């Protein structure tokens, strides 16, 4: 190891229906005023789906999810652009239709949903329907939830507000989970087979092996058990990252010493000390971080550089400024001299299952590294190093606990 230092669109209806009776007037803040919500009035409107003005200039057509509103007679008075996109029903055709005709929804057993739920004639205490998968004509799945707006808690339904969402995002999540399970099953199968095989052999034929053979088999079992332990730890980290429950236990961390330890691990495992060049810049700010997670970051980045890169692996630690307020922080750069990462792949490096080569690994390490860095309030980027290889750079804020400031 070589070390160096340097210093509103209005609503309208195209079909006739009974006009809505005027609501009782009341001073702002009364129950009548609060429950009725903003009035929906008919007025000239430009062509296309129309709807009442929303809050603070936000209109129904600005919403990313489909919005359908039916009045007290059950006819549609709002059908926004997203609803048209999701259902493939033009908004101007839907306006004025009965709700069950504008949205002919069925459940997964083929039953008419509006007949089952009966929002206008059902239980007077029902306030809506939770989100569920329903089917549009043609079998297209859509996520639907509904809210029943009443003037009084058990009064008649004055409006039915329906939210529509496509199922693509949920399907992507389900596919991602399925891929994760498949990857885990594949990665666990090999070491478990090895552990089972060697232990069964030793238990059944202990006396046939000499001490050296027994030791070799036990060392293999120990290594494979360690691999299983690391994989389970990765899964737990992914679960915590995805759910936002990754905890960071901050304490003072000597980042330079941590880098030195990880380099020593690789040299002890057989890498040449000359393959590593460490540059520690002077005047590093104090760093409060989770030491175990800092080890996790450094371990992943150095292992990637050694396994997938070539030539000298350079690790540089320097002071940095983070965020818009220029807070002090520490910057760590890990680069190699290998072929680097293709430009078209750089946007996918920190996603699940990305592999830079076919040299093993689960493709989860860099996803976890990004989650851990961001849990510390930091950032991480990837690019091309000065000698052509991959270069990973992460910056962590000082992170001093509030009670010490």
């Amino acid at each position: 190891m070589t070390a160096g230092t340097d210093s509103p669109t209005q609503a309208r209806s195209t079909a006739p229906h009974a006009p809505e009776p005027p609501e009782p007037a009341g001073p702002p803040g009364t129950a009548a005023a609060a429950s009725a919500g903003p009035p929906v009035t008919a007025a000239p409107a430009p062509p296309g789906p129309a709807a009442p003005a929303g809050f603070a200039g936000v209109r129904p057509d600005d919403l990313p999810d489909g919005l359908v509103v039916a009045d007290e007679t059950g006819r549609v008075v709002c059908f926004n652009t997203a609803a048209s996109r999701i259902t493939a029903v033009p908004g101007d055709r839907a306006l004025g239709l009965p709700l069950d005709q504008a949205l002919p929804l069925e459940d997964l057993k083929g039953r008419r949903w509006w007949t089952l739920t009966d929002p206008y004639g059902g239980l007077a205490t029902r306030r809506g329907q939770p989100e569920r998968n329903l089917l549009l004509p043609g079998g297209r799945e859509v996520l639907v939830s509904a809210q029943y707006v009443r003037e009084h808690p058990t009064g008649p339904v004055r409006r039915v507000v329906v939210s529509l969402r496509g199922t693509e995002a949920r399907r992507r999540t389900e596919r991602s989970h399925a891929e994760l399970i498949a990857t885990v099953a594949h990665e666990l199968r090999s070491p478990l087979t090895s552990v089972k095989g060697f232990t069964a052999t030793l238990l059944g034929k202990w006396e046939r092996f000499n001490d050296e053979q027994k030791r070799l088999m036990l060392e293999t079992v120990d290594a494979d058990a360690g691999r299983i332990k690391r994989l389970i730890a990765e899964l737990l980290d992914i679960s915590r990252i995805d759910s936002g429950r990754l905890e960071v236990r901050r304490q003072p961390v000597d980042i330079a010493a941590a880098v030195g330890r990880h380099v020593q691990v690789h040299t002890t495992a057989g890498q040449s000390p000359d393959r590593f060049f460490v540059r520690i810049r002077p005047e590093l700010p104090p760093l409060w971080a989770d030491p175990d997670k800092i080890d996790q970051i450094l371990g992943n980045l150095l292992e990637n550089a050694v396994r997938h890169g070539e030539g000298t692996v350079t690790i540089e630690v320097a002071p940095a400024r983070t965020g818009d307020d220029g807070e002090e922080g520490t910057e760590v750069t890990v680069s190699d001299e290998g072929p680097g990462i293709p430009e078209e792949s750089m946007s996918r490096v920190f996603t699940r299952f990305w592999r830079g080569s076919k040299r093993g690994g689960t493709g989860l390490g860099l996803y976890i590294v990004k989650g851990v860095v961001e849990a510390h309030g930091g950032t991480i980027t990837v690019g091309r190093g000065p000698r052509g290889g991959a270069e990973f750079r992460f910056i962590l804020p000082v992170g001093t606990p509030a009670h010490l400031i």
Side-chain angles (χ1 to χ4, degrees), residues 20-26 30-37 72 124 126-127 148-160:
E20 207 172 304
E23 297 176 11
T30 63
S35 62
E72 64 182 5
R126 185 169 292 163
R127 303 182 64 181
Y148 304 159
V149 181
R150 304 176 188 269
E151 185 175 346
H152 305 291
T154 58
V157 172
R158 295 188 59 81
R159 282 192 293 277
V160 175

Side-chain angles (χ1 to χ4, degrees), residues 175-389:
R175 283 196 299 269
S176 178
H177 289 164
E179 290 172 357
L180 181 60
I181 292 171
T183 299
V184 170
H186 175 76
E187 293 293 330
L188 284 174
R189 185 183 295 118
S190 177
L192 282 175
T193 299
S194 172
V195 169
K196 177 63 177 175
F198 279 121
T199 54
T201 300
L202 286 170
L203 288 172
K205 303 176 182 179
W206 180 269
E207 68 283 351
R208 299 187 184 183
F209 300 104
N210 59 38
D211 289 347
E212 187 62 28
Q213 291 171 322
K214 292 174 183 177
R215 181 179 181 84
L216 178 60
M217 284 188 280
L218 288 172
E219 287 176 344
T220 303
V221 168
D222 182 66
D224 286 335
R227 180 178 167 189
I228 294 171
K229 181 180 178 181
R230 288 192 298 273
L231 181 57
I232 292 173
E234 287 183 346
L235 294 176
L236 290 172
D237 285 335
I238 287 174
S239 174
R240 295 182 183 116
I241 289 169
D242 289 348
S243 63
R245 295 185 292 107
L246 188 65
E247 295 182 2
V248 175
R249 296 179 172 86
R250 297 182 184 273
Q251 54 185 283
V253 172
D254 187 339
I255 189 72
V259 169
R261 288 197 307 272
H262 282 274
V263 170
Q264 187 175 7
V265 167
H266 285 281
T267 56
T268 302
Q271 293 291 330
S272 170
D274 293 335
R275 190 175 180 189
F276 299 93
F277 178 78
V278 178
R279 177 186 291 120
I280 308 297
R281 301 285 188 180
E283 299 181 359
L284 293 177
L287 176 64
W288 286 75
D290 189 317
D292 292 336
K293 290 178 171 56
I294 295 300
D295 283 338
Q296 193 173 19
I297 296 169
L298 294 173
N300 270 287
L301 295 182
L302 264 67
E303 183 178 353
N304 276 345
V306 170
R307 177 184 295 179
H308 305 294
E310 298 173 4
T312 301
V313 176
T314 300
I315 307 101
E316 182 173 353
V317 183
R321 295 287 175 178
T322 68
D324 297 333
D325 56 359
E327 180 186 0
E328 280 190 314
T330 300
E331 175 184 275
V332 180
T333 305
V334 179
S335 60
D336 61 71
E337 299 175 350
I341 300 171
E343 195 72 30
E344 63 273 13
S345 298
M346 287 189 179
S347 62
R348 297 184 287 112
V349 166
F350 297 109
T351 60
R352 292 183 183 181
F353 311 119
W354 184 85
R355 293 179 175 90
S357 70
K358 296 182 179 180
R359 302 180 191 176
T362 62
L364 299 174
L366 290 175
Y367 177 82
I368 294 172
V369 165
K370 183 174 185 289
V372 171
V373 169
E374 291 179 347
H376 282 82
T379 58
I380 184 168
T381 57
V382 61
R384 188 169 294 279
R387 295 180 177 84

Side-chain angles (χ1 to χ4, degrees), residues 127-173:
R127 303 182 64 181
Q129 295 290 334
E131 186 176 80
R132 64 192 64 199
N133 271 38
L134 297 175
L135 300 175
L136 290 164
R140 184 189 306 176
E141 280 192 53
V142 62
L143 299 171
V144 181
S145 59
Q147 182 76 19
Y148 304 159
V149 181
R150 304 176 188 269
E151 185 175 346
H152 305 291
T154 58
V157 172
R158 295 188 59 81
R159 282 192 293 277
V160 175
V161 181
V162 183
S163 174
L164 305 173
R165 293 196 298 130
T167 60
E168 293 82 1
R170 178 171 292 186
R171 290 189 180 279
R172 284 195 297 269
T173 300

